[in-house]
Each structure stands twice: as C-alpha cells, then as structure tokens.
Amino acid sequence: MAVSELLSGKLLYEFRTMTAMVEIYCKAHHPMKPDHGACHSCSDFLAYADTRLDRCPYGQAKPTCNKCPVHCYKPQMKQKAREIMIFAGPRMLIPHPIMAIKHLLAERKPGPGKPPEGVSNRHQRKLG
C-alpha cells in the first residue's frame, strides 16, 4: 500500500482509502503489474491524488470528493478517479469492510460551504 509522507489525520485516512481502491482496480484491470501494489500508471494516479489531498482547501475538514464544491482534479484525472471508485467501491466491503463503511457514512454528510483561508495541509505544514 502506498504511503504518503505529506498527509496526516483525516487526509491520510482518505489517501489510504483511495490506495485500497486503486489496488483493487489495478489488480482487476492491469495484467502486467507488480505482485503487490499498483502498476506504474496507477502509482502515478496515487501520487497525483496525494498532491491534491495535500492542497485541499478544506484541510482536515475535507468532505468526500463527490460532495465537494471545489474541483481539485484535472478533468482526465477526475474521470479516472470516478472510474476507479465506481469499480472498486462495492468491492471494498470484503477486503476493507471498516474503511468502506466509514467512506459510505462520510458520503452521507452534506456538502460544505466556501472553504476557510489557509487551512490546507500544505499551508499548515509551511506554518509549522
């Protein structure tokens, strides 16, 4: 499983959830991959997701991406994320039941308003 050196708290948990989904997706869709983890293109996607989570304007109060009014991902990457989540989401219940249930519960929360200034993980790292 990929590890983020930038994230902590809720953002790290979100990254771990995305990593688990990517591994499920990659295992089913990419025949030439390492024994453990994800292929090169999926690893690149995870690196992109790590950067986007680090720069999320909501910081630790980040909503799930489908409830968020801010579009952080480029259109192509957003489509890839949607494809991965649609495929891997239902399949998360067997290998990662707690993670899947927590993600489903987080999706039920209402979408937030305008993000506050300077609360992204990146801003917090630069201040501290």
Side-chain angles (χ1 to χ4, degrees):
M1 195 181 277
V3 178
S4 174
E5 296 177 7
L6 302 175
L7 305 175
S8 64
K10 185 177 178 185
L11 293 173
L12 180 59
Y13 191 80
E14 182 97 8
F15 181 71
R16 287 180 179 152
T17 303
M18 178 62 83
T19 301
M21 287 185 178
V22 167
E23 287 178 358
I24 290 168
Y25 176 85
C26 187
K27 184 177 180 181
H29 287 85
H30 302 131
M32 300 298 289
K33 59 188 168 292
D35 291 336
H36 190 69
C39 69
H40 182 68
S41 68
C42 289
S43 295
D44 288 345
F45 173 77
L46 280 174
Y48 180 80
D50 184 36
T51 302
R52 297 286 87 202
L53 283 169
D54 182 47
R55 295 178 182 176
C56 178
Y58 289 97
Q60 294 297 328
K62 180 193 178 311
T64 57
C65 292
N66 66 345
K67 296 283 185 178
C68 190
V70 178
H71 301 292
C72 299
Y73 284 39
K74 293 178 184 175
Q76 180 183 359
M77 292 299 215
K78 185 177 180 180
Q79 182 58 37
K80 175 128 177 141
R82 181 175 285 130
E83 184 180 321
I84 289 169
M85 289 181 190
I86 288 171
F87 178 82
R91 291 163 180 82
M92 287 272 295
L93 283 171
I94 301 298
H96 306 285
I98 295 172
M99 198 179 279
I101 291 168
K102 279 186 169 182
H103 187 69
L104 286 173
L105 291 175
E107 283 185 343
R108 298 189 79 191
K109 292 180 183 175
K114 184 178 177 184
E117 292 290 323
V119 296
S120 75
N121 192 59
R122 182 176 184 208
H123 280 99
Q124 297 301 314
R125 266 197 343 273
K126 287 183 175 186
L127 291 175

